[in-house]
Structure formats: structure tokens, C-alpha cells
Amino acid sequence: MLRLERRSEKRAAGFTAPSRRIPSTVAHICGLALAVISPGLLIAAIVEFIGFGDGGPMLLLCSAIFAVVGGALWFSTRLGDLAPRTVFAAVAWSWVLVSVMGALPFILTRTFQSGASSFWIEIADAVFESTSGYTATGSTVLTTLPDLDDPNPRVGQGVLFYRQLTQWYGGMGFVQLVVTVLPALGRRAMGFIGAEAPGPTADRIAPRAKDTARLLWQVYIGATLLMTVAYTVAGMSLYDGFTHSLTTAATGGFSTYNDSLGEFDSVPIEIVAIVAMMIGGTNFALHWLFLARDRAVYAKDHEFRAFIAVIVAAIGAVTAMLLIGGEIGGDLGPTMRTAVFNVVSLGTSTGFGNAQGAGTAGDFVAWGAGPLIVLLILMTVGGMSGSTAGGVKVIRIRVLGAHVHRLVARSRQPRSVIPLRLGSNIVSDTVAHKIAVYGMAWLAMLVGGLLAVTALGAELEEALSAVIGSLSNMGPALGAAGPTATFQDAFSTPARLVLAFLMIAGRLELIAVLLMFAAPRRSLRKIRPHKHTF
């Protein structure tokens, strides 16, 4: 009784006992990121049991492992330093940990088992597939995907469901999901969203960052369900419609079938996919504003208008080149169908294929040099900021173009003061400088990745397109790594691991990856004794 009275007196006086949790922002965020994936693995296990697959027990075990490890990291730590370098490090390390741990379901279910390769290569392939999934890239090394009417598939439906789910988690970003359930971040939450957001800025659509993340996730979930209904009405089964909506909303491009959407050979399904990919490639803040109050928000947004202009111009260019080159027979209908689908698929960094096999109309590897150059440009540009699409982003290209135009104008009139304009908006020199630095870092990463991948035995065409695709989170490459092949056909295991690192660097847009080693290094320097200490 006396102890209770003393405790109440201390609480009334404002005394709080020190927390026994270890102050570690990185471990705290990593733990919660792992924990939020556990329910998805549980659903995948249920799907596997319903489909009479063999991987149900292993998926259940993985769900438990994610919950236990994530919970242990979360409950044993608390938020510590929230300086920008630590925020970026927490986001980057959480993506690395989830990508590596995410390979565990593939490893335990022996998804990549092959008599011709060792268990270590199997693990490397699982890490590559997991990284490609969580970064919503869509490059794959899985060679045992089933056909539409396969009576005895090698990979169970639950494992394939988990593979699709990795892209859905990564599309919007599981750190944004963490923000919605971690109120202790307070005003610092916007820093975490900005560190993960796919674009130059994180759009705030609510006064509090937690509410912004929650609203974006609501729009994301609603779009996924709407796409599921549309795919089902267009002719897919409910399972196919839902699994493909997961990767369409995330602009990821994974499919549960060997020939991707080409397996269905359906114009209605392709039309649904085209519209859905454009939704995924558009800033989700615009979707929320449209639903909430502003029906003209798309027409007023200068980045959206530029995004549509890029897609339309690319469709026109590719269609004209294919008609002139005669790669698809010279008929306008099939040529237009193929051009529209592939331009939208790569222009939104989704990477779906509408080819029914090597050499078919939708296999863009068989196209001439002109259309392929257009596709490479689209892979570099990507979608809008704030979307689930990858790439450099349309807004950055526009700012860089306006910056070059201003430099030319200043060279003619050195004393003039020329603001950097995008439509009626003026872009500050600080923002322009940051975008220019990002562009230089992107090019440096491109050159370094290209040198590494070619040094590990890849051909130049495949290496260039794969490095661009990995940095842009795009999916298929050219040559032997095209839409009807896998990355196993074109790259060695070390080269695939290099590409996996580039996927994470591209998804976090380089800065978080560059800073992920700064916080641990600073912590080590703090605990190292001073050289004059005796």
C-alpha cells in the first residue's frame, strides 16, 4: 500500500521512470516494418492451404518468424535520435532487412530449387526475387511459373500470392504504413515519408503526417480493390484479378503466369491494365484530391499534363516506327495495340508483358533500334512524383529542362535575373540544385553499375537496359533479359546481386542509401574512447 502511494506521489510530481528500452531509431523502425509483413504471410499461407500446395506450413512458419523477430526488435527498442541522417538510415536499413528477410519464404519452400545449381545460388536467387518484389521492380529469375491451364504447377498459389504481395507492400512503401501505426513520431513522421516517397517531395494532404500516410494508404487500397473488380469483369478469375491488381496498383509487373498478361490474350484485360497502370503512375495525392473535392485537379497539375504528353508522344513514335519497320506485319490495329500496351507498361515502370512467347507481336526485344530507344528513354523517365512508379520522374526532367533553358538565356544576358518557372510556379534555386545533384548521382550510379555488371560477364545491351531498369525499378530489360525471358538467362549470380542493390538504391532514390552508413559510423565514433583518455 505504501509503495502504491509513493508511486502515485511520484507520478503527480511529474516523475517518470527511465525506459529500459534501448534507444535505437533504426532497430525500432526495422522491427515494425517486419511485423507489418507478418499478416500478409499468414494470408499467403491460407491461400496455399486452399490451393492444396505444399508450402503452407513453411509460409506459416515465416509469418511467425517475421512477427517474433519484428516484435522483438520493436518492443526492445524505442525511438532515439531523429536527425535527418538517422531517419534516412532507418528507412534504408528497413528496406534492406525486409528484402533479405523476404527471401525466407522462397528459401524454405524451395521455390528456386534446381538440380543444376547449388543451394547458395538458390538463396541468391531468392534474395534477388524478394528485392525485385519489395522494390516493385518486377525483374525475375523464376523459371517455373505455370501456364494458365497448368494442371500440376511447380509453384503453389500461396507462394505466388506472397510474391505478388511483396510488390503491393513496396509500391506505397511499408515505412508509410509504419508511420500510420507509430504516433510517437509526431511531426518527425514527414521526414520518414519524405525519405521513402518516390519523388522529389512528399506531398502533404493532411495537417498531420500520420493522417497523410493513412489517406494515401486508403486511396491505394481502394484502387487495388477497384482494379480487382475491373480485371474480374474483363474475364479473369477472382484469384487472378486480385493477384494482378496487387502488382498493377504497385506498378510492379509481377504476374502469376509464364507469359504475363499475354497468357490471357485478351483486349479487355489489356485495356483494364492500361488504365490501371496509368492510375498507378499518377501522383496518389491527386487521386485523393479528386475524390475529396477538386474534380479539375488533374487538368490543373502541370506534371500530370507533361506525363500524359510523354506517354502520347511515345505511343505515336513507337507506332509510326513499327509501321515503317514492319516488325508486326504492317497492320494498324495490332501495331497500335502492341505499342500502346508496351509504352504504358514501361512508361509507368510496371513492366507487364503482352507477349504470348518469344517472337510474338508483344515481344519488344524483336523490334528495331528506334522503338527500343524510345522504350529506354521511357524507362529512364518513369512516372510522376508521389506515384508508385519508378524512374527519374517527370517533374525532375521538367525542372532540369527549365534549368538548362535558363542557363542558355543567362549566357545571352549575363546580368538578367531569370526565375526558374514551371508554368505559373517558380522553382527555388535550392530545389533545382538538389535535383541537379540527384541527376549527377543517378548518372554516377548508372556508370558504376554498368561497369560492374559488364565486368561480371554481361553483354552491353543487356547490361545497360538492366542497370537502367534496376535504378528505375522497371522490370524487363532488352536482349536475353526481355519480357519472354528471365534474368537468369542473361546475368551471372554476382551480377544479379549487383542489380538487386541498384533496385534498392533506385527505390529509395539514392540519398537514403548513401546516408544509411552515416548513422552507424557516427554511433561508433561516439562510443570510441578519445585518444587522450587514460
Coordinates of all heavy atoms in Angstrom, one line a residue, residues 291-374:
L291 N -11.0 12.8 -55.4 CA -12.1 12.2 -54.7 C -12.7 13.1 -53.6 O -13.9 13.0 -53.3 CB -11.7 10.8 -54.1 CG -11.3 9.8 -55.1 CD1 -10.7 8.6 -54.4 CD2 -12.5 9.3 -55.9
A292 N -11.8 13.9 -53.0 CA -12.2 14.7 -51.9 C -13.0 15.9 -52.3 O -14.1 16.2 -51.7 CB -11.0 15.1 -51.0
R293 N -12.5 16.7 -53.3 CA -13.1 18.0 -53.5 C -12.9 18.6 -54.9 O -13.7 19.3 -55.4 CB -12.7 19.0 -52.5 CG -11.2 19.2 -52.4 CD -10.8 20.2 -51.3 NE -9.3 20.4 -51.2 CZ -8.6 19.7 -50.4 NH1 -9.1 18.7 -49.7 NH2 -7.2 19.9 -50.4
D294 N -11.8 18.3 -55.5 CA -11.4 19.1 -56.7 C -11.4 18.2 -57.9 O -10.5 17.4 -58.2 CB -9.9 19.6 -56.5 CG -9.5 20.6 -57.6 OD1 -10.3 20.8 -58.6 OD2 -8.5 21.2 -57.5
R295 N -12.5 18.3 -58.7 CA -12.7 17.5 -59.9 C -11.8 17.9 -61.1 O -11.6 17.2 -62.0 CB -14.1 17.5 -60.4 CG -15.1 16.9 -59.4 CD -14.9 15.4 -59.2 NE -15.9 14.8 -58.3 CZ -15.7 14.6 -57.0 NH1 -14.6 15.0 -56.5 NH2 -16.6 14.0 -56.3
A296 N -11.2 19.1 -61.0 CA -10.3 19.5 -62.1 C -8.8 19.5 -61.7 O -8.0 20.1 -62.4 CB -10.7 21.0 -62.4
V297 N -8.5 18.7 -60.7 CA -7.1 18.7 -60.2 C -6.1 18.1 -61.2 O -5.0 18.6 -61.3 CB -7.0 17.9 -58.9 CG1 -7.4 16.4 -59.0 CG2 -5.7 18.1 -58.2
Y298 N -6.6 17.1 -62.0 CA -5.7 16.5 -63.0 C -5.3 17.6 -64.1 O -4.2 17.7 -64.5 CB -6.3 15.3 -63.6 CG -6.5 14.2 -62.6 CD1 -7.8 13.8 -62.3 CD2 -5.5 13.5 -62.1 CE1 -8.1 12.8 -61.4 CE2 -5.7 12.4 -61.2 CZ -7.0 12.1 -60.8 OH -7.2 11.1 -59.9
A299 N -6.3 18.3 -64.5 CA -6.1 19.2 -65.6 C -5.2 20.4 -65.2 O -4.5 21.0 -66.0 CB -7.5 19.7 -66.1
K300 N -5.3 20.7 -63.9 CA -4.5 21.9 -63.4 C -3.1 21.5 -63.0 O -2.2 22.4 -62.9 CB -5.2 22.4 -62.1 CG -6.5 23.1 -62.4 CD -7.1 23.8 -61.2 CE -7.4 22.8 -60.1 NZ -8.1 23.5 -58.9
D301 N -2.8 20.2 -62.9 CA -1.5 19.8 -62.4 C -0.5 19.7 -63.6 O -0.7 19.0 -64.6 CB -1.5 18.4 -61.7 CG -0.2 18.1 -61.1 OD1 0.1 18.5 -60.0 OD2 0.6 17.3 -61.7
H302 N 0.6 20.5 -63.6 CA 1.5 20.6 -64.8 C 2.3 19.3 -64.9 O 2.6 19.0 -66.1 CB 2.4 21.8 -64.6 CG 3.2 21.8 -63.4 ND1 4.4 21.1 -63.2 CD2 3.1 22.4 -62.2 CE1 4.9 21.3 -62.0 NE2 4.1 22.0 -61.3
E303 N 2.6 18.6 -63.9 CA 3.3 17.4 -64.0 C 2.4 16.3 -64.7 O 2.9 15.5 -65.5 CB 3.8 16.9 -62.7 CG 4.7 15.6 -62.8 CD 5.2 15.0 -61.5 OE1 4.6 15.5 -60.4 OE2 6.0 14.1 -61.5
F304 N 1.2 16.3 -64.3 CA 0.3 15.3 -64.9 C 0.1 15.5 -66.4 O 0.1 14.6 -67.2 CB -1.1 15.3 -64.2 CG -2.1 14.4 -64.8 CD1 -2.0 13.0 -64.4 CD2 -3.1 14.8 -65.6 CE1 -3.0 12.1 -65.0 CE2 -4.0 13.9 -66.2 CZ -3.9 12.6 -65.8
R305 N 0.0 16.8 -66.8 CA -0.1 17.1 -68.2 C 1.1 16.7 -69.0 O 1.0 16.2 -70.1 CB -0.4 18.6 -68.4 CG -1.7 19.1 -67.8 CD -2.1 20.5 -68.4 NE -1.1 21.5 -68.1 CZ -1.1 22.3 -67.1 NH1 -2.0 22.2 -66.1 NH2 -0.1 23.2 -66.9
A306 N 2.3 16.9 -68.4 CA 3.5 16.5 -69.0 C 3.6 15.0 -69.1 O 4.1 14.5 -70.1 CB 4.7 17.1 -68.2
F307 N 3.2 14.3 -68.0 CA 3.2 12.9 -68.0 C 2.3 12.3 -69.2 O 2.8 11.4 -69.9 CB 2.7 12.4 -66.7 CG 2.6 10.9 -66.5 CD1 3.6 10.0 -66.8 CD2 1.4 10.3 -66.1 CE1 3.5 8.7 -66.7 CE2 1.2 9.0 -65.9 CZ 2.3 8.1 -66.3
I308 N 1.1 12.8 -69.3 CA 0.3 12.4 -70.4 C 0.9 12.7 -71.8 O 0.8 11.9 -72.7 CB -1.1 13.0 -70.3 CG1 -1.8 12.6 -69.0 CG2 -2.0 12.7 -71.5 CD1 -2.1 11.1 -68.9
A309 N 1.5 13.9 -71.9 CA 2.1 14.2 -73.2 C 3.3 13.3 -73.5 O 3.4 12.9 -74.7 CB 2.6 15.7 -73.1
V310 N 4.1 12.9 -72.5 CA 5.2 12.0 -72.8 C 4.6 10.6 -73.3 O 5.1 10.0 -74.3 CB 6.0 11.8 -71.5 CG1 7.0 10.6 -71.7 CG2 6.8 13.1 -71.2
I311 N 3.6 10.1 -72.6 CA 3.0 8.8 -73.0 C 2.4 8.9 -74.4 O 2.7 8.0 -75.2 CB 2.0 8.4 -72.0 CG1 2.6 8.1 -70.6 CG2 1.2 7.1 -72.5 CD1 3.6 7.0 -70.5
V312 N 1.7 9.9 -74.7 CA 1.0 10.0 -76.0 C 2.1 10.2 -77.1 O 2.0 9.5 -78.2 CB 0.1 11.2 -76.0 CG1 -0.5 11.5 -77.4 CG2 -1.1 11.0 -75.1
A313 N 3.1 11.0 -76.9 CA 4.2 11.2 -77.9 C 4.9 9.9 -78.1 O 5.2 9.5 -79.3 CB 5.1 12.3 -77.4
A314 N 5.2 9.1 -77.0 CA 5.9 7.8 -77.2 C 5.0 6.8 -77.9 O 5.5 6.1 -78.8 CB 6.3 7.3 -75.8
I315 N 3.7 6.8 -77.7 CA 2.8 5.9 -78.4 C 2.9 6.2 -79.9 O 3.0 5.3 -80.7 CB 1.4 6.0 -77.9 CG1 1.3 5.3 -76.5 CG2 0.4 5.3 -78.8 CD1 0.0 5.5 -75.8
G316 N 2.8 7.5 -80.2 CA 2.8 7.9 -81.6 C 4.1 7.5 -82.3 O 4.1 7.0 -83.4
A317 N 5.2 7.8 -81.6 CA 6.5 7.5 -82.2 C 6.7 6.0 -82.4 O 7.2 5.6 -83.5 CB 7.6 8.1 -81.3
V318 N 6.4 5.2 -81.4 CA 6.6 3.7 -81.5 C 5.7 3.2 -82.6 O 6.1 2.3 -83.3 CB 6.4 3.1 -80.1 CG1 6.3 1.5 -80.3 CG2 7.4 3.5 -79.1
T319 N 4.4 3.6 -82.6 CA 3.5 3.1 -83.6 C 4.0 3.4 -85.0 O 4.0 2.5 -85.9 CB 2.1 3.7 -83.4 OG1 1.6 3.4 -82.1 CG2 1.1 3.2 -84.5
A320 N 4.5 4.6 -85.2 CA 5.0 5.0 -86.6 C 6.2 4.2 -86.9 O 6.3 3.7 -88.1 CB 5.3 6.5 -86.6
M321 N 7.1 4.0 -86.0 CA 8.3 3.2 -86.3 C 8.0 1.8 -86.6 O 8.6 1.2 -87.5 CB 9.3 3.3 -85.1 CG 9.9 4.7 -84.9 SD 11.0 4.8 -83.5 CE 11.4 6.5 -83.4
L322 N 7.1 1.2 -85.8 CA 6.7 -0.2 -86.1 C 6.0 -0.4 -87.4 O 6.2 -1.4 -88.1 CB 5.8 -0.7 -84.9 CG 6.5 -0.9 -83.6 CD1 5.4 -1.3 -82.5 CD2 7.6 -1.9 -83.6
L323 N 5.2 0.6 -87.8 CA 4.5 0.5 -89.1 C 5.6 0.6 -90.2 O 5.5 -0.1 -91.2 CB 3.5 1.6 -89.2 CG 2.2 1.4 -88.4 CD1 1.3 2.7 -88.5 CD2 1.4 0.2 -88.9
I324 N 6.5 1.6 -90.1 CA 7.5 1.7 -91.1 C 8.5 0.5 -91.2 O 8.8 0.0 -92.2 CB 8.3 3.0 -90.8 CG1 7.4 4.2 -91.0 CG2 9.5 3.1 -91.8 CD1 8.1 5.5 -90.5
G325 N 8.8 0.0 -90.0 CA 9.7 -1.2 -90.0 C 9.1 -2.5 -90.3 O 9.8 -3.4 -90.7
G326 N 7.8 -2.6 -90.1 CA 7.1 -3.8 -90.5 C 7.3 -5.0 -89.5 O 7.1 -6.1 -89.9
E327 N 7.8 -4.7 -88.3 CA 8.0 -5.8 -87.4 C 6.8 -6.6 -87.0 O 6.9 -7.8 -86.6 CB 8.7 -5.3 -86.1 CG 10.1 -4.8 -86.2 CD 10.2 -3.3 -86.5 OE1 9.2 -2.7 -87.0 OE2 11.3 -2.8 -86.2
I328 N 5.6 -6.0 -87.0 CA 4.4 -6.6 -86.6 C 3.5 -6.8 -87.8 O 2.3 -7.1 -87.7 CB 3.7 -5.8 -85.5 CG1 4.7 -5.5 -84.4 CG2 2.6 -6.6 -84.9 CD1 4.1 -4.7 -83.3
G329 N 4.0 -6.8 -89.0 CA 3.2 -7.1 -90.2 C 2.6 -5.9 -90.9 O 2.0 -6.1 -92.0
G330 N 2.7 -4.7 -90.3 CA 2.2 -3.5 -91.1 C 0.7 -3.2 -90.9 O 0.3 -2.2 -91.4
D331 N 0.0 -4.0 -90.1 CA -1.4 -3.6 -89.8 C -1.5 -2.7 -88.7 O -0.9 -2.8 -87.6 CB -2.2 -4.9 -89.5 CG -2.3 -5.9 -90.7 OD1 -2.3 -5.4 -91.8 OD2 -2.3 -7.1 -90.5
L332 N -2.4 -1.6 -88.8 CA -2.5 -0.6 -87.8 C -3.1 -1.1 -86.5 O -2.6 -0.7 -85.4 CB -3.4 0.5 -88.4 CG -3.6 1.7 -87.4 CD1 -2.3 2.4 -87.1 CD2 -4.5 2.8 -88.0
G333 N -4.1 -2.0 -86.6 CA -4.7 -2.4 -85.3 C -3.8 -3.2 -84.4 O -3.6 -2.7 -83.2
P334 N -3.2 -4.3 -84.8 CA -2.2 -5.0 -84.0 C -1.1 -4.1 -83.6 O -0.6 -4.2 -82.4 CB -1.8 -6.2 -84.8 CG -2.9 -6.4 -85.8 CD -3.4 -5.0 -86.1
T335 N -0.6 -3.3 -84.5 CA 0.5 -2.4 -84.1 C 0.2 -1.4 -83.0 O 1.0 -1.2 -82.1 CB 1.0 -1.7 -85.4 OG1 1.3 -2.6 -86.4 CG2 2.2 -0.8 -85.1
M336 N -1.0 -0.8 -83.2 CA -1.4 0.2 -82.2 C -1.6 -0.5 -80.8 O -1.2 0.0 -79.8 CB -2.7 0.8 -82.6 CG -3.3 1.8 -81.6 SD -2.3 3.3 -81.4 CE -2.8 4.2 -82.9
R337 N -2.2 -1.7 -80.8 CA -2.5 -2.5 -79.6 C -1.1 -2.8 -78.9 O -1.0 -2.5 -77.7 CB -3.2 -3.8 -79.9 CG -3.3 -4.7 -78.7 CD -3.9 -6.0 -79.1 NE -3.9 -7.0 -78.0 CZ -4.3 -8.3 -78.1 NH1 -4.7 -8.7 -79.3 NH2 -4.3 -9.1 -77.0
T338 N -0.2 -3.2 -79.6 CA 1.1 -3.6 -79.0 C 1.9 -2.3 -78.5 O 2.4 -2.3 -77.4 CB 2.0 -4.3 -80.1 OG1 1.3 -5.5 -80.5 CG2 3.3 -4.7 -79.5
A339 N 1.8 -1.3 -79.3 CA 2.6 0.0 -79.0 C 2.0 0.6 -77.7 O 2.7 1.0 -76.8 CB 2.5 1.0 -80.1
V340 N 0.6 0.7 -77.7 CA 0.0 1.4 -76.5 C 0.3 0.6 -75.2 O 0.7 1.2 -74.2 CB -1.5 1.5 -76.7 CG1 -2.2 1.9 -75.4 CG2 -1.8 2.4 -77.8
F341 N 0.2 -0.7 -75.3 CA 0.4 -1.5 -74.1 C 1.8 -1.4 -73.6 O 2.0 -1.2 -72.4 CB 0.0 -3.0 -74.3 CG 0.1 -3.8 -73.0 CD1 -1.0 -3.9 -72.2 CD2 1.2 -4.4 -72.6 CE1 -1.0 -4.7 -71.0 CE2 1.3 -5.2 -71.5 CZ 0.2 -5.3 -70.7
N342 N 2.7 -1.6 -74.5 CA 4.1 -1.6 -74.0 C 4.7 -0.3 -73.6 O 5.4 -0.2 -72.7 CB 5.0 -2.2 -75.1 CG 4.9 -3.7 -75.2 OD1 5.4 -4.5 -74.4 ND2 4.3 -4.2 -76.2
V343 N 4.2 0.8 -74.3 CA 4.6 2.1 -73.9 C 4.1 2.5 -72.5 O 4.8 3.0 -71.6 CB 4.1 3.2 -74.9 CG1 4.2 4.6 -74.3 CG2 5.0 3.1 -76.2
V344 N 2.8 2.2 -72.2 CA 2.2 2.4 -70.9 C 2.9 1.6 -69.9 O 3.2 2.0 -68.8 CB 0.7 2.3 -70.9 CG1 0.1 2.4 -69.5 CG2 0.0 3.3 -71.9
S345 N 3.1 0.3 -70.2 CA 3.7 -0.6 -69.3 C 5.1 -0.2 -68.8 O 5.4 -0.2 -67.6 CB 3.8 -2.0 -69.9 OG 4.4 -2.9 -69.0
L346 N 5.9 0.3 -69.8 CA 7.3 0.7 -69.4 C 7.3 2.2 -69.0 O 8.1 2.6 -68.2 CB 8.2 0.5 -70.6 CG 8.4 -1.0 -71.0 CD1 9.4 -1.1 -72.1 CD2 9.0 -1.8 -69.8
G347 N 6.4 3.0 -69.5 CA 6.3 4.4 -69.1 C 5.9 4.6 -67.7 O 6.2 5.6 -67.1
T348 N 5.2 3.6 -67.2 CA 4.7 3.7 -65.7 C 5.6 2.8 -64.9 O 5.3 2.6 -63.7 CB 3.3 3.3 -65.6 OG1 3.1 1.9 -66.1 CG2 2.3 4.2 -66.4
S349 N 6.7 2.3 -65.4 CA 7.6 1.4 -64.7 C 6.9 0.1 -64.2 O 7.4 -0.5 -63.3 CB 8.4 2.1 -63.6 OG 7.6 2.1 -62.4
T350 N 5.8 -0.3 -64.8 CA 5.2 -1.5 -64.4 C 5.9 -2.8 -64.9 O 6.2 -3.7 -64.2 CB 3.7 -1.5 -64.9 OG1 3.1 -0.3 -64.4 CG2 2.9 -2.7 -64.2
G351 N 6.0 -2.9 -66.2 CA 6.8 -4.0 -66.8 C 6.0 -5.2 -67.1 O 6.6 -6.3 -67.4
F352 N 4.6 -5.1 -67.2 CA 3.8 -6.2 -67.7 C 4.2 -6.5 -69.1 O 4.6 -5.6 -69.9 CB 2.4 -5.9 -67.6 CG 1.7 -6.2 -66.3 CD1 0.9 -5.2 -65.7 CD2 2.0 -7.3 -65.5 CE1 0.3 -5.5 -64.5 CE2 1.4 -7.6 -64.3 CZ 0.6 -6.6 -63.8
G353 N 4.0 -7.7 -69.6 CA 4.2 -8.1 -71.0 C 2.9 -8.6 -71.6 O 2.1 -9.2 -70.9
N354 N 2.7 -8.2 -72.8 CA 1.5 -8.8 -73.5 C 1.9 -9.7 -74.6 O 1.2 -9.9 -75.6 CB 0.6 -7.6 -74.1 CG 1.3 -6.9 -75.2 OD1 2.5 -6.9 -75.4 ND2 0.5 -6.2 -76.0
A355 N 3.2 -10.2 -74.5 CA 3.7 -11.2 -75.5 C 3.3 -12.6 -75.1 O 3.3 -13.0 -73.9 CB 5.2 -11.1 -75.6
Q356 N 2.8 -13.4 -76.0 CA 2.5 -14.8 -75.8 C 3.7 -15.7 -75.9 O 3.5 -16.9 -75.8 CB 1.3 -15.2 -76.7 CG 0.0 -14.6 -76.4 CD -0.3 -13.4 -77.3 OE1 -0.1 -13.5 -78.5 NE2 -0.7 -12.3 -76.7
G357 N 4.8 -15.2 -76.1 CA 6.0 -16.0 -76.3 C 7.0 -15.2 -77.1 O 6.8 -14.2 -77.6
A358 N 8.2 -15.8 -77.2 CA 9.3 -15.2 -77.9 C 9.0 -15.0 -79.4 O 8.5 -15.9 -80.0 CB 10.6 -16.0 -77.8
G359 N 9.2 -13.8 -79.9 CA 8.9 -13.5 -81.3 C 7.5 -13.1 -81.6 O 7.2 -12.8 -82.8
T360 N 6.6 -13.1 -80.7 CA 5.2 -12.6 -80.9 C 5.2 -11.1 -81.0 O 6.2 -10.4 -80.7 CB 4.3 -13.1 -79.8 OG1 4.8 -12.7 -78.5 CG2 4.2 -14.7 -79.8
A361 N 4.0 -10.6 -81.3 CA 3.9 -9.1 -81.5 C 4.3 -8.3 -80.3 O 4.9 -7.3 -80.4 CB 2.4 -8.8 -81.9
G362 N 4.0 -8.8 -79.1 CA 4.3 -8.0 -77.9 C 5.7 -8.2 -77.4 O 6.0 -7.5 -76.4
D363 N 6.5 -9.0 -78.0 CA 7.9 -9.2 -77.6 C 8.7 -8.1 -78.1 O 9.2 -8.2 -79.2 CB 8.4 -10.5 -78.0 CG 9.7 -10.9 -77.5 OD1 10.2 -10.1 -76.6 OD2 10.3 -11.9 -77.9
F364 N 8.9 -7.0 -77.4 CA 9.6 -5.8 -77.9 C 11.1 -6.0 -78.2 O 11.7 -5.2 -78.8 CB 9.4 -4.6 -77.0 CG 9.8 -4.8 -75.6 CD1 11.1 -4.8 -75.2 CD2 8.8 -4.9 -74.6 CE1 11.5 -4.9 -73.9 CE2 9.2 -5.1 -73.2 CZ 10.5 -5.1 -72.9
V365 N 11.6 -7.2 -77.7 CA 13.0 -7.5 -77.9 C 13.2 -7.6 -79.4 O 14.3 -7.3 -80.0 CB 13.4 -8.7 -77.2 CG1 14.8 -9.2 -77.6 CG2 13.5 -8.5 -75.7
A366 N 12.2 -8.1 -80.2 CA 12.3 -8.3 -81.6 C 12.1 -7.0 -82.4 O 12.2 -7.1 -83.6 CB 11.3 -9.4 -82.1
W367 N 11.9 -5.9 -81.8 CA 11.7 -4.6 -82.5 C 13.0 -4.1 -83.0 O 14.1 -4.5 -82.6 CB 11.0 -3.6 -81.6 CG 9.6 -4.0 -81.2 CD1 8.9 -5.1 -81.6 CD2 8.7 -3.3 -80.3 NE1 7.7 -5.1 -81.0 CE2 7.5 -4.0 -80.2 CE3 8.9 -2.1 -79.6 CZ2 6.5 -3.6 -79.4 CZ3 7.8 -1.6 -78.8 CH2 6.6 -2.4 -78.7
G368 N 12.9 -3.1 -83.8 CA 14.1 -2.4 -84.4 C 14.7 -1.4 -83.3 O 14.2 -1.2 -82.2
A369 N 15.8 -0.8 -83.7 CA 16.5 0.0 -82.8 C 15.7 1.3 -82.3 O 15.8 1.7 -81.2 CB 17.9 0.5 -83.4
G370 N 15.0 1.9 -83.3 CA 14.2 3.1 -83.0 C 13.2 3.0 -81.9 O 13.3 3.7 -80.9
P371 N 12.3 2.0 -82.0 CA 11.3 1.8 -80.8 C 12.0 1.5 -79.5 O 11.6 1.9 -78.5 CB 10.4 0.7 -81.3 CG 10.6 0.7 -82.8 CD 12.0 1.1 -83.1
L372 N 13.1 0.7 -79.6 CA 13.8 0.3 -78.4 C 14.4 1.5 -77.7 O 14.5 1.6 -76.4 CB 14.9 -0.8 -78.7 CG 14.4 -2.1 -79.1 CD1 15.5 -3.1 -79.3 CD2 13.4 -2.7 -78.1
I373 N 14.9 2.5 -78.5 CA 15.5 3.7 -77.9 C 14.4 4.5 -77.1 O 14.6 5.0 -76.0 CB 16.2 4.5 -78.9 CG1 17.5 3.8 -79.4 CG2 16.5 5.9 -78.4 CD1 18.1 4.5 -80.6
V374 N 13.2 4.5 -77.8 CA 12.1 5.2 -77.1 C 11.7 4.5 -75.8 O 11.5 5.2 -74.8 CB 10.9 5.2 -78.1 CG1 9.7 5.8 -77.3 CG2 11.2 6.1 -79.3

